[in-house]
Amino acid sequence: MHAALVVAASALLLAACAPDYSIDEPVDYDGYARELFDLTNELRVDEGLGTLEWNDCLAQMAEPRAQTASTLEYLEHEPMTPSCTEGNMIGENLVRDERNPAGLFDRWVNSASHYQNLVNPGWEVSGVACVPSDQGPTCSQLFEGVAPVPE
């Protein structure tokens, strides 16, 4: 009897910690993208870096990249050229499969290459786009900035 109560209580606690987006619930993809952007800036502040400015051009550029990635079995980056700012470098984080922006963001933070993109001090602007796929939201976050000049 006691074990059944512990299992039932655990199930209730897990249900209370469920992601913000359930499979049956429609996803606000623009809101999802904005939350990823906000989480990026929170991390940058925590790391003592400046915040990024939202860039509509990069968000528009990210959408077809997310659309393409949503159909691929394995996520892969296509070549890019900086085109939305005067910057000379561009980067991208791609992700799919997570119903909760905070959970997805944690995956980026725990991946060395994605984390480096998030905290690159050369980035000045970013734009994010998320689209639906059979495996959950697929998102592309693009960054542009100026590469440091070697001394």
Side-chain angles (χ1 to χ4, degrees):
M1 172 80 169
H2 180 357
L5 287 174
V6 169
V7 169
S10 297
L12 284 174
L13 284 174
L14 287 174
C17 297
D20 298 332
Y21 301 99
S22 72
I23 301 237
D24 298 329
E25 183 178 312
V27 175
D28 170 10
Y29 293 98
D30 290 337
Y32 198 105
R34 282 292 185 159
E35 187 167 345
L36 291 174
F37 176 80
D38 291 343
L39 289 167
T40 299
N41 275 334
E42 287 175 23
L43 173 66
R44 291 177 65 85
V45 168
D46 289 347
E47 295 293 330
L49 299 167
T51 58
L52 301 174
E53 187 177 313
W54 178 268
N55 185 281
D56 287 330
C57 176
L58 284 176
Q60 290 169 1
M61 200 169 128
E63 187 169 355
R65 298 181 69 80
Q67 288 286 356
T68 298
S70 74
T71 65
L72 301 175
E73 184 175 350
Y74 300 102
L75 297 179
E76 52 188 63
H77 300 277
E78 296 177 7
M80 300 179 289
T81 303
S83 60
C84 293
T85 68
E86 300 282 325
N88 62 357
M89 65 177 188
I90 187 166
E92 178 181 42
N93 282 348
L94 282 173
V95 73
R96 165 179 67 213
D97 280 338
E98 198 58 59
R99 300 301 292 182
N100 176 315
L104 175 150
F105 190 77
D106 285 343
R107 287 176 45 200
W108 278 347
V109 168
N110 292 313
S111 161
S113 61
H114 292 100
Y115 178 79
Q116 288 306 312
N117 261 346
L118 295 168
V119 298
N120 183 324
W123 299 141
E124 298 169 350
V125 296
S126 180
V128 186
C130 299
V131 299
S133 79
D134 292 342
Q135 299 175 25
T138 300
C139 301
S140 168
Q141 180 175 27
L142 297 180
F143 306 88
E144 280 192 17
V146 178
V149 177
E151 294 181 22

